[in-house]
Amino acid sequence: MTKYFQNKYALSKQGAKDLCKGILYSVLAYVSLMLPVALLACVLDSFLIALSWDSGQGGNILLYTVIGIVILAVIFVMHYLQYTLTYMGTYQESERRRISIAEKLRTMPLRFFHERDLSDLTSTIMGDCAGFEHAFSHTVPQFWGSILSTAIVCIVLLIYDWRMGLALLGVAPVAFAIVLFSRKLQTKQGQKHIDAKLALADGIQECLETVQDIKACNQETVYLKKLDEKMDAAEKAQISSEMVTASLVTTGQMFLQLGLATVIVVGNTLMINHQTTLFSYILFLIAASRLYAPLSGAMANMAELFSVDLQVKRLKEIQDYKEENKKKEYQTDGYDITFDHVSFAYEPGKPVLRDVSFTAKQGQVTALVGPSGGGKSTVANLAAGFYDVNGGKITLGGTDIAPIDSVAMMRDFSVVFQNVVLFNNTIMENIRIGRKDATDEEVIAAAKAARCHTFIEKLPDGYQTVIGENGSTLSGGECQRLSIARALLKDAPVILLDEATASLDVDNETEIQEAISKLVKGKTVLVIAHRMRTVENADKIVVLDGGVVAESGTHDELMKKNGLYARLVELQTASADWKLNGR
């Protein structure tokens, strides 16, 4: 049973055990609610016997009172245990689930994040996990508890009188079939609701991320109208899903209530024919009044379980995603990066790189230049092992990086991406991410090397200034320099700079280049840049165009070839001389 729940709902072993305990105590709690029925039946039987004997005695009232108090105590204890185990187990499992998903995402290859939309992942981690909490605290244990407890009571009633038992339970299979056979329809409507919510979440996230551009283009009205349409679509999808579910469940519950009429008809018939006793008749009437309530709840819970299956499926897609089983330890002969006839595509049939070959040697600066979309950033991502190549191979110090774990390989890489990511923490801690055991003095030294020290000293709390989410209180150039300081602090043998100076002015760019030049000795530096002046002094320049190496060499060699590189330099020189003409 434990293994079944573990596989079906993607639970941890402890979570499956807690669920089984919750179901067990739900069964006991529901069964305990039938104890007053049994007591009432005993009291009625006692009084009926007393009346039939024309006796003045009405049974042992004191005894029944004591039994009633004991039953109330049992009901209280069973419900307390059921509530405590169910809710505590659910929220502890929810904690384990969120941590496990976070740990799983931490080890995911970048290809996974390329395949999944950010709003989709956010909705899964936040919304689906919240739905999971509600389902496993309010639905799953109660559903199984009501089904199993009802089954136990039904067996007892059928043994007592199978004719009245069939009259009581005959409608239940039909009522549940109405809900069960409509599962496909409910799942379809539920999926439409999820898709509409994802579209809305994506629209809200896009609006928040691009609000500055929307306002700058005076498109608030147009954009908000589109967002309102997505909200309306999500609302309609939810109403439609709820209406379908409510209609089917209500129909099943209404049909279930026919059982009471069946009990009355069958009971009267048996009474007239002297085939049952008044006590049995009353007992089944009381049972009918108590038994159909948990069955009605079970039908509602069954409908919600269909929705839970959709949420569990989305969570399983993350948990069951194939992990990279690669080597954590490796050795290299130096740190030359060699691309050997490498081809790569993010999506099948859409190649980004085709037969790319070059070597970035240790102790030298290798620059990647070329038109936008040529594959420069892709080359950097492949060099760091973030993606697996589709053809050819990449070696680090003569060792093929394909079987090496990308997280383990990051020990030898310092990376500065084009899009800087900073955290809502102090400047000191943001730089220290490069090397967690670095001293304050080492952090400050890296900041000075990246030309950050001057502007940091002007901040209210210096290095202890909290910079806001993603460095919201800093300029783009200041954020870029902090990310460079972080990379310099790590002091890894391989440095990847993806448009690292894109947000810097000319003066700061020159200073950063001087700082980087001090680190080149004995290290492999791979630089991606659009500004040709940035890479003039590089030891080797690789020109990428359309996913292939168009040409390579030093600045002087490429200028003499008068090819694509020379044209790019000429275009940038011309743009630098461009100026507005007055009228």
Side-chain angles (χ1 to χ4, degrees), residues 22-60:
I23 291 173
L24 173 61
Y25 281 98
S26 292
V27 170
L28 295 176
Y30 283 122
V31 170
S32 69
L33 292 176
M34 296 301 294
L35 294 179
V37 175
L39 177 61
L40 180 59
C42 292
V43 172
L44 288 174
D45 185 48
S46 177
F47 275 97
L48 288 173
I49 293 173
L51 289 173
S52 64
W53 288 351
D54 195 21
S55 170
Q57 295 180 354
N60 193 335

mmCIF file of all heavy atoms in Angstrom, residues 22-60:
data_model
loop_
_atom_site.group_PDB
_atom_site.id
_atom_site.type_symbol
_atom_site.label_atom_id
_atom_site.label_comp_id
_atom_site.label_asym_id
_atom_site.label_seq_id
_atom_site.Cartn_x
_atom_site.Cartn_y
_atom_site.Cartn_z
ATOM 1 N N GLY A 22 -2.692 8.438 7.962
ATOM 2 C CA GLY A 22 -3.827 9.354 7.866
ATOM 3 C C GLY A 22 -5.082 8.646 7.398
ATOM 4 O O GLY A 22 -6.186 8.893 7.909
ATOM 5 N N ILE A 23 -4.927 7.742 6.411
ATOM 6 C CA ILE A 23 -6.076 6.975 5.918
ATOM 7 C C ILE A 23 -6.611 6.054 7.012
ATOM 8 O O ILE A 23 -7.828 5.937 7.206
ATOM 9 C CB ILE A 23 -5.673 6.163 4.671
ATOM 10 C CG1 ILE A 23 -5.406 7.116 3.494
ATOM 11 C CG2 ILE A 23 -6.760 5.162 4.300
ATOM 12 C CD1 ILE A 23 -4.848 6.439 2.265
ATOM 13 N N LEU A 24 -5.688 5.390 7.737
ATOM 14 C CA LEU A 24 -6.100 4.486 8.804
ATOM 15 C C LEU A 24 -6.934 5.212 9.849
ATOM 16 O O LEU A 24 -8.025 4.740 10.237
ATOM 17 C CB LEU A 24 -4.866 3.862 9.462
ATOM 18 C CG LEU A 24 -5.119 3.013 10.713
ATOM 19 C CD1 LEU A 24 -6.012 1.821 10.388
ATOM 20 C CD2 LEU A 24 -3.798 2.565 11.339
ATOM 21 N N TYR A 25 -6.459 6.375 10.278
ATOM 22 C CA TYR A 25 -7.192 7.104 11.314
ATOM 23 C C TYR A 25 -8.441 7.783 10.753
ATOM 24 O O TYR A 25 -9.396 8.044 11.495
ATOM 25 C CB TYR A 25 -6.276 8.111 12.000
ATOM 26 C CG TYR A 25 -5.390 7.445 13.028
ATOM 27 C CD1 TYR A 25 -4.085 7.098 12.726
ATOM 28 C CD2 TYR A 25 -5.869 7.138 14.299
ATOM 29 C CE1 TYR A 25 -3.271 6.464 13.657
ATOM 30 C CE2 TYR A 25 -5.077 6.510 15.241
ATOM 31 C CZ TYR A 25 -3.773 6.169 14.915
ATOM 32 O OH TYR A 25 -2.986 5.543 15.841
ATOM 33 N N SER A 26 -8.451 8.052 9.438
ATOM 34 C CA SER A 26 -9.686 8.541 8.821
ATOM 35 C C SER A 26 -10.742 7.451 8.839
ATOM 36 O O SER A 26 -11.924 7.711 9.109
ATOM 37 C CB SER A 26 -9.407 8.982 7.369
ATOM 38 O OG SER A 26 -8.583 10.123 7.329
ATOM 39 N N VAL A 27 -10.314 6.207 8.546
ATOM 40 C CA VAL A 27 -11.237 5.072 8.615
ATOM 41 C C VAL A 27 -11.786 4.925 10.029
ATOM 42 O O VAL A 27 -13.016 4.786 10.236
ATOM 43 C CB VAL A 27 -10.515 3.769 8.181
ATOM 44 C CG1 VAL A 27 -11.398 2.558 8.484
ATOM 45 C CG2 VAL A 27 -10.165 3.818 6.708
ATOM 46 N N LEU A 28 -10.900 4.967 11.010
ATOM 47 C CA LEU A 28 -11.339 4.820 12.400
ATOM 48 C C LEU A 28 -12.256 5.968 12.822
ATOM 49 O O LEU A 28 -13.223 5.767 13.571
ATOM 50 C CB LEU A 28 -10.118 4.756 13.325
ATOM 51 C CG LEU A 28 -9.204 3.538 13.140
ATOM 52 C CD1 LEU A 28 -7.972 3.648 14.037
ATOM 53 C CD2 LEU A 28 -9.969 2.245 13.437
ATOM 54 N N ALA A 29 -11.947 7.175 12.323
ATOM 55 C CA ALA A 29 -12.782 8.328 12.671
ATOM 56 C C ALA A 29 -14.181 8.176 12.090
ATOM 57 O O ALA A 29 -15.184 8.456 12.769
ATOM 58 C CB ALA A 29 -12.123 9.612 12.164
ATOM 59 N N TYR A 30 -14.253 7.738 10.809
ATOM 60 C CA TYR A 30 -15.565 7.559 10.188
ATOM 61 C C TYR A 30 -16.334 6.405 10.840
ATOM 62 O O TYR A 30 -17.555 6.487 11.036
ATOM 63 C CB TYR A 30 -15.417 7.311 8.685
ATOM 64 C CG TYR A 30 -15.114 8.558 7.900
ATOM 65 C CD1 TYR A 30 -13.967 8.653 7.113
ATOM 66 C CD2 TYR A 30 -15.978 9.648 7.915
ATOM 67 C CE1 TYR A 30 -13.673 9.788 6.389
ATOM 68 C CE2 TYR A 30 -15.707 10.801 7.195
ATOM 69 C CZ TYR A 30 -14.549 10.869 6.430
ATOM 70 O OH TYR A 30 -14.278 11.997 5.717
ATOM 71 N N VAL A 31 -15.631 5.324 11.148
ATOM 72 C CA VAL A 31 -16.289 4.191 11.800
ATOM 73 C C VAL A 31 -16.798 4.593 13.180
ATOM 74 O O VAL A 31 -17.891 4.174 13.609
ATOM 75 C CB VAL A 31 -15.319 2.988 11.907
ATOM 76 C CG1 VAL A 31 -15.911 1.904 12.806
ATOM 77 C CG2 VAL A 31 -15.019 2.420 10.530
ATOM 78 N N SER A 32 -16.024 5.423 13.877
ATOM 79 C CA SER A 32 -16.453 5.856 15.212
ATOM 80 C C SER A 32 -17.761 6.637 15.158
ATOM 81 O O SER A 32 -18.533 6.633 16.128
ATOM 82 C CB SER A 32 -15.356 6.712 15.866
ATOM 83 O OG SER A 32 -15.217 7.971 15.216
ATOM 84 N N LEU A 33 -18.022 7.304 14.023
ATOM 85 C CA LEU A 33 -19.272 8.045 13.885
ATOM 86 C C LEU A 33 -20.482 7.122 13.782
ATOM 87 O O LEU A 33 -21.628 7.568 13.952
ATOM 88 C CB LEU A 33 -19.212 8.961 12.648
ATOM 89 C CG LEU A 33 -18.222 10.124 12.731
ATOM 90 C CD1 LEU A 33 -18.193 10.885 11.424
ATOM 91 C CD2 LEU A 33 -18.602 11.066 13.875
ATOM 92 N N MET A 34 -20.227 5.850 13.464
ATOM 93 C CA MET A 34 -21.323 4.875 13.400
ATOM 94 C C MET A 34 -21.633 4.278 14.774
ATOM 95 O O MET A 34 -22.651 3.600 14.947
ATOM 96 C CB MET A 34 -20.973 3.764 12.412
ATOM 97 C CG MET A 34 -20.824 4.233 10.972
ATOM 98 S SD MET A 34 -22.319 5.020 10.313
ATOM 99 C CE MET A 34 -23.449 3.636 10.284
ATOM 100 N N LEU A 35 -20.743 4.493 15.727
ATOM 101 C CA LEU A 35 -20.975 3.943 17.067
ATOM 102 C C LEU A 35 -22.237 4.505 17.718
ATOM 103 O O LEU A 35 -22.984 3.749 18.368
ATOM 104 C CB LEU A 35 -19.749 4.199 17.955
ATOM 105 C CG LEU A 35 -18.463 3.465 17.544
ATOM 106 C CD1 LEU A 35 -17.321 3.834 18.487
ATOM 107 C CD2 LEU A 35 -18.674 1.951 17.537
ATOM 108 N N PRO A 36 -22.523 5.814 17.582
ATOM 109 C CA PRO A 36 -23.793 6.314 18.138
ATOM 110 C C PRO A 36 -25.002 5.639 17.506
ATOM 111 O O PRO A 36 -26.041 5.464 18.175
ATOM 112 C CB PRO A 36 -23.760 7.813 17.820
ATOM 113 C CG PRO A 36 -22.300 8.136 17.705
ATOM 114 C CD PRO A 36 -21.684 6.924 17.092
ATOM 115 N N VAL A 37 -24.873 5.266 16.218
ATOM 116 C CA VAL A 37 -25.975 4.560 15.556
ATOM 117 C C VAL A 37 -26.207 3.216 16.229
ATOM 118 O O VAL A 37 -27.354 2.818 16.504
ATOM 119 C CB VAL A 37 -25.670 4.373 14.051
ATOM 120 C CG1 VAL A 37 -26.766 3.535 13.387
ATOM 121 C CG2 VAL A 37 -25.531 5.716 13.367
ATOM 122 N N ALA A 38 -25.100 2.506 16.463
ATOM 123 C CA ALA A 38 -25.213 1.207 17.136
ATOM 124 C C ALA A 38 -25.794 1.366 18.535
ATOM 125 O O ALA A 38 -26.644 0.564 18.975
ATOM 126 C CB ALA A 38 -23.844 0.538 17.201
ATOM 127 N N LEU A 39 -25.345 2.407 19.255
ATOM 128 C CA LEU A 39 -25.870 2.648 20.606
ATOM 129 C C LEU A 39 -27.359 2.964 20.555
ATOM 130 O O LEU A 39 -28.155 2.446 21.359
ATOM 131 C CB LEU A 39 -25.105 3.793 21.265
ATOM 132 C CG LEU A 39 -25.593 4.214 22.659
ATOM 133 C CD1 LEU A 39 -25.463 3.044 23.645
ATOM 134 C CD2 LEU A 39 -24.822 5.423 23.161
ATOM 135 N N LEU A 40 -27.753 3.829 19.587
ATOM 136 C CA LEU A 40 -29.174 4.176 19.459
ATOM 137 C C LEU A 40 -30.001 2.944 19.139
ATOM 138 O O LEU A 40 -31.118 2.766 19.659
ATOM 139 C CB LEU A 40 -29.343 5.234 18.372
ATOM 140 C CG LEU A 40 -30.777 5.723 18.100
ATOM 141 C CD1 LEU A 40 -31.376 6.333 19.375
ATOM 142 C CD2 LEU A 40 -30.784 6.746 16.963
ATOM 143 N N ALA A 41 -29.423 2.085 18.275
ATOM 144 C CA ALA A 41 -30.139 0.849 17.936
ATOM 145 C C ALA A 41 -30.328 -0.031 19.178
ATOM 146 O O ALA A 41 -31.403 -0.603 19.391
ATOM 147 C CB ALA A 41 -29.364 0.092 16.861
ATOM 148 N N CYS A 42 -29.288 -0.126 19.989
ATOM 149 C CA CYS A 42 -29.384 -0.920 21.228
ATOM 150 C C CYS A 42 -30.433 -0.345 22.184
ATOM 151 O O CYS A 42 -31.207 -1.082 22.827
ATOM 152 C CB CYS A 42 -28.034 -0.993 21.913
ATOM 153 S SG CYS A 42 -26.801 -1.957 21.009
ATOM 154 N N VAL A 43 -30.462 0.979 22.302
ATOM 155 C CA VAL A 43 -31.437 1.644 23.185
ATOM 156 C C VAL A 43 -32.850 1.372 22.689
ATOM 157 O O VAL A 43 -33.759 1.033 23.459
ATOM 158 C CB VAL A 43 -31.152 3.155 23.259
ATOM 159 C CG1 VAL A 43 -32.282 3.868 24.005
ATOM 160 C CG2 VAL A 43 -29.826 3.415 23.947
ATOM 161 N N LEU A 44 -33.055 1.518 21.347
ATOM 162 C CA LEU A 44 -34.376 1.267 20.778
ATOM 163 C C LEU A 44 -34.786 -0.190 20.980
ATOM 164 O O LEU A 44 -35.934 -0.491 21.316
ATOM 165 C CB LEU A 44 -34.370 1.625 19.286
ATOM 166 C CG LEU A 44 -34.323 3.112 18.947
ATOM 167 C CD1 LEU A 44 -34.181 3.300 17.444
ATOM 168 C CD2 LEU A 44 -35.583 3.820 19.453
ATOM 169 N N ASP A 45 -33.818 -1.067 20.765
ATOM 170 C CA ASP A 45 -34.114 -2.491 20.938
ATOM 171 C C ASP A 45 -34.520 -2.784 22.380
ATOM 172 O O ASP A 45 -35.457 -3.551 22.648
ATOM 173 C CB ASP A 45 -32.889 -3.312 20.558
ATOM 174 C CG ASP A 45 -33.161 -4.800 20.590
ATOM 175 O OD1 ASP A 45 -34.185 -5.227 20.021
ATOM 176 O OD2 ASP A 45 -32.357 -5.544 21.189
ATOM 177 N N SER A 46 -33.815 -2.142 23.303
ATOM 178 C CA SER A 46 -34.124 -2.341 24.725
ATOM 179 C C SER A 46 -35.521 -1.851 25.056
ATOM 180 O O SER A 46 -36.291 -2.523 25.751
ATOM 181 C CB SER A 46 -33.080 -1.630 25.583
ATOM 182 O OG SER A 46 -33.375 -1.748 26.958
ATOM 183 N N PHE A 47 -35.873 -0.680 24.515
ATOM 184 C CA PHE A 47 -37.187 -0.125 24.787
ATOM 185 C C PHE A 47 -38.280 -0.927 24.099
ATOM 186 O O PHE A 47 -39.376 -1.094 24.633
ATOM 187 C CB PHE A 47 -37.256 1.334 24.346
ATOM 188 C CG PHE A 47 -36.741 2.282 25.395
ATOM 189 C CD1 PHE A 47 -35.445 2.763 25.343
ATOM 190 C CD2 PHE A 47 -37.562 2.693 26.438
ATOM 191 C CE1 PHE A 47 -34.955 3.621 26.311
ATOM 192 C CE2 PHE A 47 -37.078 3.562 27.416
ATOM 193 C CZ PHE A 47 -35.770 4.028 27.360
ATOM 194 N N LEU A 48 -37.981 -1.405 22.862
ATOM 195 C CA LEU A 48 -38.977 -2.211 22.157
ATOM 196 C C LEU A 48 -39.265 -3.507 22.902
ATOM 197 O O LEU A 48 -40.407 -3.960 23.006
ATOM 198 C CB LEU A 48 -38.491 -2.517 20.730
ATOM 199 C CG LEU A 48 -38.510 -1.342 19.754
ATOM 200 C CD1 LEU A 48 -37.847 -1.731 18.433
ATOM 201 C CD2 LEU A 48 -39.940 -0.859 19.504
ATOM 202 N N ILE A 49 -38.198 -4.114 23.440
ATOM 203 C CA ILE A 49 -38.376 -5.342 24.225
ATOM 204 C C ILE A 49 -39.188 -5.051 25.488
ATOM 205 O O ILE A 49 -40.098 -5.805 25.875
ATOM 206 C CB ILE A 49 -37.006 -5.946 24.595
ATOM 207 C CG1 ILE A 49 -36.290 -6.450 23.342
ATOM 208 C CG2 ILE A 49 -37.157 -7.067 25.599
ATOM 209 C CD1 ILE A 49 -34.874 -6.915 23.592
ATOM 210 N N ALA A 50 -38.843 -3.915 26.105
ATOM 211 C CA ALA A 50 -39.560 -3.538 27.334
ATOM 212 C C ALA A 50 -41.037 -3.304 27.051
ATOM 213 O O ALA A 50 -41.920 -3.733 27.821
ATOM 214 C CB ALA A 50 -38.924 -2.294 27.940
ATOM 215 N N LEU A 51 -41.339 -2.651 25.916
ATOM 216 C CA LEU A 51 -42.727 -2.376 25.554
ATOM 217 C C LEU A 51 -43.478 -3.659 25.215
ATOM 218 O O LEU A 51 -44.659 -3.828 25.539
ATOM 219 C CB LEU A 51 -42.778 -1.400 24.369
ATOM 220 C CG LEU A 51 -42.356 0.041 24.680
ATOM 221 C CD1 LEU A 51 -42.276 0.856 23.384
ATOM 222 C CD2 LEU A 51 -43.349 0.690 25.650
ATOM 223 N N SER A 52 -42.774 -4.544 24.518
ATOM 224 C CA SER A 52 -43.434 -5.799 24.131
ATOM 225 C C SER A 52 -43.768 -6.640 25.351
ATOM 226 O O SER A 52 -44.702 -7.433 25.337
ATOM 227 C CB SER A 52 -42.553 -6.602 23.173
ATOM 228 O OG SER A 52 -41.351 -7.004 23.840
ATOM 229 N N TRP A 53 -42.976 -6.518 26.424
ATOM 230 C CA TRP A 53 -43.242 -7.250 27.657
ATOM 231 C C TRP A 53 -44.219 -6.481 28.569
ATOM 232 O O TRP A 53 -44.539 -6.947 29.662
ATOM 233 C CB TRP A 53 -41.952 -7.476 28.427
ATOM 234 C CG TRP A 53 -41.046 -8.500 27.778
ATOM 235 C CD1 TRP A 53 -41.333 -9.322 26.736
ATOM 236 C CD2 TRP A 53 -39.714 -8.799 28.172
ATOM 237 N NE1 TRP A 53 -40.281 -10.114 26.416
ATOM 238 C CE2 TRP A 53 -39.234 -9.821 27.308
ATOM 239 C CE3 TRP A 53 -38.858 -8.319 29.170
ATOM 240 C CZ2 TRP A 53 -37.956 -10.350 27.397
ATOM 241 C CZ3 TRP A 53 -37.591 -8.858 29.260
ATOM 242 C CH2 TRP A 53 -37.142 -9.876 28.380
ATOM 243 N N ASP A 54 -44.612 -5.321 28.070
ATOM 244 C CA ASP A 54 -45.514 -4.476 28.862
ATOM 245 C C ASP A 54 -44.942 -4.230 30.248
ATOM 246 O O ASP A 54 -45.615 -4.321 31.270
ATOM 247 C CB ASP A 54 -46.910 -5.136 28.980
ATOM 248 C CG ASP A 54 -47.945 -4.122 29.471
ATOM 249 O OD1 ASP A 54 -47.682 -2.905 29.318
ATOM 250 O OD2 ASP A 54 -48.979 -4.573 29.988
ATOM 251 N N SER A 55 -43.622 -3.920 30.227
ATOM 252 C CA SER A 55 -42.912 -3.689 31.485
ATOM 253 C C SER A 55 -42.679 -2.204 31.671
ATOM 254 O O SER A 55 -42.577 -1.452 30.706
ATOM 255 C CB SER A 55 -41.582 -4.462 31.482
ATOM 256 O OG SER A 55 -40.793 -4.068 32.580
ATOM 257 N N GLY A 56 -42.524 -1.788 32.849
ATOM 258 C CA GLY A 56 -42.250 -0.378 33.124
ATOM 259 C C GLY A 56 -40.797 -0.030 33.035
ATOM 260 O O GLY A 56 -40.406 1.122 33.184
ATOM 261 N N GLN A 57 -39.978 -1.045 32.838
ATOM 262 C CA GLN A 57 -38.542 -0.788 32.787
ATOM 263 C C GLN A 57 -38.154 -0.331 31.382
ATOM 264 O O GLN A 57 -38.562 -0.917 30.391
ATOM 265 C CB GLN A 57 -37.770 -2.044 33.166
ATOM 266 C CG GLN A 57 -37.999 -2.481 34.611
ATOM 267 C CD GLN A 57 -37.209 -3.717 34.948
ATOM 268 O OE1 GLN A 57 -36.583 -4.297 34.091
ATOM 269 N NE2 GLN A 57 -37.259 -4.095 36.220
ATOM 270 N N GLY A 58 -37.352 0.642 31.256
ATOM 271 C CA GLY A 58 -36.909 1.164 29.958
ATOM 272 C C GLY A 58 -35.454 0.912 29.714
ATOM 273 O O GLY A 58 -34.827 1.632 28.954
ATOM 274 N N GLY A 59 -34.885 -0.060 30.331
ATOM 275 C CA GLY A 59 -33.470 -0.349 30.088
ATOM 276 C C GLY A 59 -32.613 0.359 31.100
ATOM 277 O O GLY A 59 -33.058 1.188 31.886
ATOM 278 N N ASN A 60 -31.390 -0.010 31.082
ATOM 279 C CA ASN A 60 -30.420 0.564 32.010
ATOM 280 C C ASN A 60 -29.921 1.899 31.451
ATOM 281 O O ASN A 60 -28.984 1.945 30.663
ATOM 282 C CB ASN A 60 -29.268 -0.402 32.225
ATOM 283 C CG ASN A 60 -28.419 0.000 33.407
ATOM 284 O OD1 ASN A 60 -28.377 1.173 33.790
ATOM 285 N ND2 ASN A 60 -27.759 -0.972 34.018
#
